[in-house]
Amino acid sequence: MHLDLTHLGKKVLDEKLPDITDFVRTYLGIDPSVNPVPIQPTAHYTMGGIPTDVDGRVIMDEKNTPLPGLYAAGECATVSVHGANRLGTNSLVDLVVFGRRSGKHAALYVKNTDFIPLPKKPEDGIQATISDLYSGTGTESVAKIRLELQNDMMDNASVYRNQKMLINAKNKLLELKKRYKNIALGDKSKQFNMELFEALELGFLLELASVLVESAVNRTESRGAHYREDFSKRDDTNWLKHTLAYKAGDKIDFRYKPVVITKYLPKERKY
Amino acid sequence: MKVTYKILRFDPEKDKKPYFKDYDVEVEPTDRILDGLNIIKWYQDSTLSYRRSCAHGICGSDAMEINGVNKLACKVLIQNVGSHITIKPIRGLRVIKDLIVDMEPFFEKYRSIKPYLINDDSLPTHERLQSVEDREIFDDTTKCILCASCTSSCPSFWWNSMYLGPSALVQAHRFIFDSRDHGADERLEIVNDLNGIWRCRTIFNCVDACPREIKITKAIEELKRALLHKHL
């Protein structure tokens, strides 16, 4: 598939889209003012999923109860101004408006809050995780598991999904999580250990992927960025609600939060 | 195609001094230098350490010396370098590990030129508008991504690490020539120093190194002229 930008002309491309134009020239050796550009789907933005209120406070249940002291803003957060799909250029709202509101609120919170007592040895959990990774003697590598995770999520849980694909993805994730317990680090150094960093990150990616896949299995409708080939219509009767995911041992508990509708009614996107 | 990476390695936890290590890698000609580094790290030698993040020339994390010239590893294709690729950390900053250098002195100089809007007028109700012509005056210097390719390619900086360096001066230019900003005078005094603009000897290494093609030497000359006009 190609994107034809030639009608814009060299001047407009250089002045209004300098970065995109530079990417095409650098990586493809193509001048987009002369030739069409080959394109493919990619992850351009993360519609985060950490639920917050309008002050960036992370909320922890169906009743919008804030988790004191924890804030999220930007791509990681879901304030819910975008509905089920962020449209082009609207990321600025998350950055400029809710970044600012969260910062202001966090500053106010810090001013009026004393240190809370810490549990005994709060660092124990993460230290155990890290020392397990250092002492792992398994046969699996971080890079190989991550590559399989990337391929599987691209094949089975990306733009178009159906029950069969998502169940495949779910099973693959179970396998990868099992194998993840059997990884070994080649780099045992303590300073700037980027492999350790990648290993920790992979653990989180596996958990996030499970949340994504399992909530997509549950949601038997299509809405916003979630498109089910086997349930192609929006179903407001059963699914006009937010998904909340909770870690419960090795499993995920799902709960649902009602959608607050004020001025604008949710509508089908017809373009 | 098969290429050889020759990489300057150093791990302070076990090495007394840096040494070169060779890696043979199978890559596509259209792969980036960074892709080859990733193949080495992920499938050959996971101890190899370097910074990378966005991988398309925006974040500025992976500046390194590639065949003698400072470049971003993610913005150079293998086919433009050939099959023998020598990689070293950027110069003039302390090596922490392999290709990772201590960027703190670099960012300290960046902070010293006050890289933020200075304007004590009462808050406007709408945006502070700027004409297209006024914006064009400093458009070039807004493109800096703070990768340190320029500063670490500058012989004046290698010789004297107190020198503010091209990157900090580019940033000073970006604010000094912004019509919405009122901090020009105080910033011009900061760069009016033996270790400020006057340390620039117009060597042009910075211009060659900049992955954003900023006309750095021109920007520094514009600062010198602004100071001259201010004091004449």
Side-chain angles (χ1 to χ4, degrees):
Chain A
M1 193 179 280
H2 286 76
L3 175 66
D4 188 352
L5 296 168
T6 55
H7 62 289
L8 293 173
K10 192 171 159 23
K11 193 168 181 293
V12 172
L13 284 170
D14 282 343
E15 281 175 9
K16 308 271 187 202
L17 298 164
D19 285 330
I20 299 284
T21 304
D22 180 41
F23 298 154
V24 178
R25 286 187 186 132
T26 303
Y27 299 115
L28 298 171
I30 289 172
D31 188 337
S33 67
V34 179
N35 292 108
V37 185
I39 54 168
Q40 64 180 46
T42 183
H44 160 70
Y45 184 88
T46 305
M47 294 189 287
I50 303 175
T52 73
D53 65 8
V54 292
D55 288 313
R57 292 187 293 181
V58 173
I59 56 170
M60 54 181 172
D61 60 18
E62 304 91 320
K63 292 177 197 124
N64 293 323
T65 315
L67 185 64
L70 186 62
Y71 290 79
E75 279 191 50
C76 69
T78 295
V79 197
S80 283
V81 284
H82 304 306
N85 190 9
R86 177 187 73 85
L87 303 183
T89 73
N90 282 351
S91 63
L92 280 175
V93 176
D94 284 324
L95 292 170
V96 180
V97 178
F98 294 103
R100 184 162 192 261
R101 290 184 66 95
S102 313
K104 282 170 89 168
H105 200 281
L108 195 71
Y109 175 79
V110 169
K111 263 187 198 164
N112 298 315
T113 311
D114 223 343
F115 288 114
I116 55 163
L118 289 173
K120 258 187 198 170
K121 299 195 175 171
E123 73 281 16
D124 273 4
I126 188 66
Q127 271 184 353
T129 307
I130 289 174
S131 76
D132 281 355
L133 285 169
Y134 269 122
S135 58
T137 53
T139 49
E140 295 286 352
S141 90
V142 172
K144 281 179 188 153
I145 294 180
R146 184 178 50 213
L147 184 65
E148 286 182 44
L149 173 67
Q150 287 169 330
N151 287 339
D152 189 58
M153 292 299 282
M154 192 71 187
D155 291 343
N156 288 320
S158 62
V159 184
Y160 300 106
R161 305 146 172 192
N162 61 42
Q163 181 80 7
K164 195 172 158 235
M165 291 159 82
L166 290 167
I167 295 296
N168 281 344
K170 194 176 162 180
N171 292 335
K172 182 72 183 177
L173 280 166
L174 285 176
E175 175 210 318
L176 292 178
K177 279 181 174 169
K178 215 171 175 182
R179 285 169 52 195
Y180 177 73
K181 292 191 176 131
N182 195 29
I183 57 171
L185 298 185
D187 187 356
K188 307 282 186 192
S189 65
K190 302 280 184 229
Q191 223 182 138
F192 255 101
N193 190 328
M194 302 301 276
E195 193 191 17
L196 172 69
F197 170 80
E198 289 185 13
L200 281 169
E201 199 176 58
L202 178 62
F204 301 146
L205 282 173
L206 287 165
E207 285 192 355
L208 272 178
S210 298
V211 169
L212 189 153
V213 166
E214 288 185 38
S215 50
V217 174
N218 294 346
R219 191 172 277 271
T220 48
E221 63 150 1
S222 290
R223 180 184 300 272
H226 169 68
Y227 186 82
R228 287 278 300 251
E229 290 169 330
D230 43 356
F231 297 94
S232 61
K233 287 271 175 274
R234 208 178 78 201
D235 176 2
D236 280 353
T237 318
N238 295 304
W239 287 106
L240 188 59
K241 53 190 181 186
H242 301 281
T243 304
L244 297 175
Y246 295 83
K247 192 173 166 155
D250 283 342
K251 297 239 178 323
I252 305 164
D253 272 353
F254 288 99
R255 276 147 63 179
Y256 293 93
K257 193 180 86 162
V259 175
V260 180
I261 295 163
T262 52
K263 200 170 168 186
Y264 301 102
L265 289 174
K267 275 187 193 162
E268 199 178 338
R269 186 179 174 183
K270 288 188 173 165
Y271 57 91
Chain B
M1 67 187 280
K2 202 172 167 187
V3 298
T4 305
Y5 276 66
K6 188 186 173 80
I7 304 174
L8 194 62
R9 304 286 314 265
F10 176 65
D11 178 356
E13 286 173 33
K14 53 175 199 238
D15 302 324
K16 285 215 169 71
K17 53 183 187 179
Y19 63 98
F20 277 107
K21 191 163 179 188
D22 287 1
Y23 299 92
D24 291 331
V25 193
E26 191 63 38
V27 290
E28 296 293 326
T30 49
D31 277 346
R32 301 157 293 191
I33 297 292
L34 177 65
D35 293 311
L37 288 172
N38 287 340
I39 292 171
I40 296 168
K41 180 165 185 68
W42 294 340
Y43 305 109
Q44 295 184 21
D45 181 353
S46 61
T47 64
L48 178 66
S49 300
Y50 49 94
R51 289 192 179 100
R52 86 281 184 278
S53 183
C54 81
H56 61 291
I58 298 296
C59 75
S61 308
D62 60 351
M64 50 191 75
E65 196 186 296
I66 300 168
N67 285 0
V69 189
N70 283 2
K71 301 267 182 200
L72 299 180
C74 60
K75 266 201 106 173
V76 183
L77 304 189
I78 303 268
Q79 64 189 11
N80 298 330
V81 180
S83 57
H84 286 80
I85 303 157
T86 303
I87 297 185
K88 299 180 197 170
I90 50 176
R91 299 184 196 207
L93 295 160
R94 182 180 66 88
V95 174
I96 295 174
K97 190 181 177 186
D98 294 340
L99 303 173
I100 297 167
V101 299
D102 180 6
M103 294 285 279
E104 194 43 41
F106 173 81
F107 287 121
E108 205 175 287
K109 293 184 171 76
Y110 166 60
R111 287 191 292 268
S112 77
I113 59 90
K114 306 189 174 180
Y116 40 81
L117 182 79
I118 297 176
N119 187 331
D120 289 334
D121 290 353
S122 51
L123 277 182
T125 50
H126 292 81
E127 300 91 331
R128 294 184 169 93
L129 294 178
Q130 185 169 51
S131 71
V132 174
E133 292 76 25
D134 279 348
R135 160 78 192 198
E136 266 172 16
I137 295 169
F138 67 102
D139 185 64
D140 201 36
T141 45
T142 63
K143 292 176 183 158
C144 174
I145 53 173
L146 295 165
C147 67
S149 284
C150 59
T151 297
S152 63
S153 77
C154 174
S156 306
F157 175 74
W158 298 339
W159 180 74
N160 180 354
S161 64
M162 299 295 284
Y163 173 36
L164 276 178
S167 178
L169 295 176
V170 160
Q171 293 291 338
H173 181 284
R174 183 251 168 274
F175 287 97
I176 287 169
F177 290 98
D178 186 334
S179 60
R180 299 162 297 187
D181 185 277
H182 295 169
D185 283 343
E186 53 182 298
R187 285 199 198 89
L188 279 172
E189 286 319 310
I190 293 167
V191 301
N192 182 17
D193 188 277
L194 270 181
N195 287 323
I197 44 176
W198 309 112
R199 184 69 60 201
C200 171
R201 299 292 193 264
T202 61
I203 298 165
F204 284 90
N205 265 20
C206 53
V207 181
D208 273 351
C210 179
R212 308 284 288 170
E213 294 174 17
I214 300 170
K215 297 174 194 74
I216 303 172
T217 309
K218 179 168 175 268
I220 297 175
E221 290 304 300
E222 284 172 3
L223 289 174
K224 288 180 183 171
R225 256 172 240 166
L227 256 169
L228 264 171
H229 286 298
K230 193 183 152 198
H231 287 281
L232 278 178

